[in-house]
Amino acid sequence: MALTMTRTRTQTTLTKLAQLVANVHGEMTFLKQLAAPGTDLMPEQLAAVEARLNALEEKRQALYLTLRQFNPELDPVEIGTSEDWLRPYGRPTGRVARARYLNAMGA
Amino acid sequence: MSYEPQWRTPPEVKWVVNELAAVQGELDRIEESLGRLLERKAHLLSVKEALGTVAVELHLPTTPGLLPVVRPNDRFGARGSLRKFIRVVLQAAHPKGVSTSSIADMVIDAFQLQIANPLERKRLVDNTVRNALTRMGRQGEVEPMHSQQEDGSRMGLIAQSGVWRWKQRTTTLDELRACVSQCLGPED
């Protein structure tokens, strides 16, 4: 891979970064709904969800910084959510995938 | 009439005081640059950490610490920004030319470059601005008013050293005649 002295920014890279941000947004939205007041999660499950939320928050900040480094005019906050983060656990739209995800997290 | 002795500062004292002031001025500029550079370093370290996190997500084949280093051309922002700026300046000044030195001053203002001493400014003028103008000249976008024409005459009324002008294609007399005859139509 040849490194260049001028920055090469491509649409493919932008799309990939945006997808990563959308996945983080989607996962955080799902977990926040789970951890909302009045939830029926056990305390240890809640702790696992909160730990995962903290890790995702750090990842979100890193992605925001990276996207702004790519193009300072972009606002990563405006990127929507995606359900692709559930793909390793099954069909993203299905309930089975969510259940597998929560099992894997220990919640 | 009483005689009042006039006190003149000896030239060597004047020189030392002046030099002290200039050296302090340059030291102040360096301090300001250091402050700005430390802030920039802190920001870049946080960006480096963020890129390392993203690299893990993208399953980079090698660890970020083992990547070779590149010094990017970043002074003027996006690629082609300097030439774009020079184009705007010379088009606005057309049909007059603008000197290399004036263009360099405008570049320093527009891109908010920090020039610590005259040697840095000279390097900017000689290596960056003049090179960009020479390349644009080769591509036919600008013309140096200080150069000689093929017939030995100069473009400007007097030899204008280091002055560049936007090159605009002028209509030839033949084209004008063709245009006129087209407008008037064929003679009966």
Side-chain angles (χ1 to χ4, degrees), chain A residues 1 3-9 13 16-17 20 24 58-59 61-66 69, chain B residues 40 43-44 46-47 49-51 53-54 57-58 67-74 78-79:
Chain A
M1 183 180 85
L3 298 179
T4 59
M5 285 172 72
T6 49
R7 270 46 183 293
T8 316
R9 300 178 304 165
T13 308
K16 183 69 187 174
L17 288 174
L20 287 173
V24 166
E58 277 180 26
K59 193 166 148 183
Q61 293 307 322
L63 282 167
Y64 279 10
L65 206 49
T66 305
Q69 178 72 8
Chain B
R40 179 80 185 145
H43 169 73
L44 287 175
S46 61
V47 170
E49 207 182 310
L51 287 169
T53 307
V54 173
E57 288 296 310
L58 298 175
L67 286 171
V69 172
V70 143
R71 301 230 167 150
N73 292 330
D74 233 5
R79 189 177 190 161

Side-chain angles (χ1 to χ4, degrees), chain B residues 95-112:
Chain B
K96 289 192 183 153
V98 186
S99 69
T100 317
S101 181
S102 304
I103 295 176
D105 286 335
M106 290 181 219
V107 164
I108 290 168
D109 265 332
F111 293 99
Q112 293 177 341

Side-chain angles (χ1 to χ4, degrees), chain B residues 71-126:
Chain B
R71 301 230 167 150
N73 292 330
D74 233 5
R75 228 171 164 193
F76 306 106
R79 189 177 190 161
S81 301
L82 177 61
R83 283 207 215 173
K84 213 186 284 186
F85 178 78
I86 293 176
R87 247 175 239 129
V88 167
V89 164
L90 291 179
Q91 280 169 353
H94 187 83
K96 289 192 183 153
V98 186
S99 69
T100 317
S101 181
S102 304
I103 295 176
D105 286 335
M106 290 181 219
V107 164
I108 290 168
D109 265 332
F111 293 99
Q112 293 177 341
L113 303 178
Q114 303 291 328
I115 304 291
N117 52 52
L119 188 59
E120 254 191 58
R121 190 184 175 284
K122 188 175 187 304
R123 276 196 215 114
L124 177 78
V125 170
D126 293 345

Side-chain angles (χ1 to χ4, degrees), chain B residues 17-31:
Chain B
V17 166
N18 209 34
E19 281 305 306
L20 274 169
V23 163
Q24 188 55 50
E26 194 171 338
L27 282 169
D28 287 347
R29 249 195 220 138
I30 289 172
E31 283 298 326

Side-chain angles (χ1 to χ4, degrees), chain B:
Chain B
M1 187 175 82
S2 62
Y3 173 74
E4 284 179 16
Q6 292 190 353
W7 297 100
R8 278 176 55 224
T9 313
E12 61 278 12
V13 171
K14 219 186 253 186
W15 180 84
V16 167
V17 166
N18 209 34
E19 281 305 306
L20 274 169
V23 163
Q24 188 55 50
E26 194 171 338
L27 282 169
D28 287 347
R29 249 195 220 138
I30 289 172
E31 283 298 326
E32 280 165 31
S33 296
L34 276 175
R36 192 180 36 84
L37 286 170
L38 283 170
E39 268 179 41
R40 179 80 185 145
K41 182 181 173 181
H43 169 73
L44 287 175
L45 283 171
S46 61
V47 170
K48 184 179 169 183
E49 207 182 310
L51 287 169
T53 307
V54 173
V56 167
E57 288 296 310
L58 298 175
H59 311 294
L60 216 68
T62 178
T63 53
L66 296 176
L67 286 171
V69 172
V70 143
R71 301 230 167 150
N73 292 330
D74 233 5
R75 228 171 164 193
F76 306 106
R79 189 177 190 161
S81 301
L82 177 61
R83 283 207 215 173
K84 213 186 284 186
F85 178 78
I86 293 176
R87 247 175 239 129
V88 167
V89 164
L90 291 179
Q91 280 169 353
H94 187 83
K96 289 192 183 153
V98 186
S99 69
T100 317
S101 181
S102 304
I103 295 176
D105 286 335
M106 290 181 219
V107 164
I108 290 168
D109 265 332
F111 293 99
Q112 293 177 341
L113 303 178
Q114 303 291 328
I115 304 291
N117 52 52
L119 188 59
E120 254 191 58
R121 190 184 175 284
K122 188 175 187 304
R123 276 196 215 114
L124 177 78
V125 170
D126 293 345
N127 300 341
T128 309
V129 176
R130 192 174 292 134
N131 269 352
L133 285 163
T134 310
R135 267 186 245 116
M136 288 168 81
R138 266 190 243 124
Q139 286 169 358
E141 288 187 79
V142 304
E143 50 193 7
M145 295 182 78
H146 49 276
S147 67
Q148 281 190 326
Q149 308 269 49
E150 278 167 7
D151 59 359
S153 63
R154 288 197 184 270
M155 205 164 312
L157 286 176
I158 50 172
Q160 292 177 297
S161 172
V163 175
W164 301 79
R165 185 171 67 178
W166 183 249
K167 193 168 183 175
Q168 226 168 41
R169 196 187 159 283
T170 46
T171 317
T172 61
L173 214 49
D174 285 338
E175 283 168 353
L176 267 176
R177 280 194 203 107
C179 195
V180 164
S181 59
Q182 205 173 26
C183 292
L184 292 176
E187 287 178 9
D188 294 328

Side-chain angles (χ1 to χ4, degrees), chain A residues 1 9 17 24 28 31 37 50 53 55 61 67 73 75 77-79 94 99 102 105:
Chain A
M1 183 180 85
R9 300 178 304 165
L17 288 174
V24 166
M28 285 182 83
L31 288 173
E50 279 174 11
L53 270 171
Q61 293 307 322
L67 211 56
E73 288 172 25
D75 187 7
V77 174
E78 290 179 6
I79 295 175
L102 289 170
M105 205 174 51

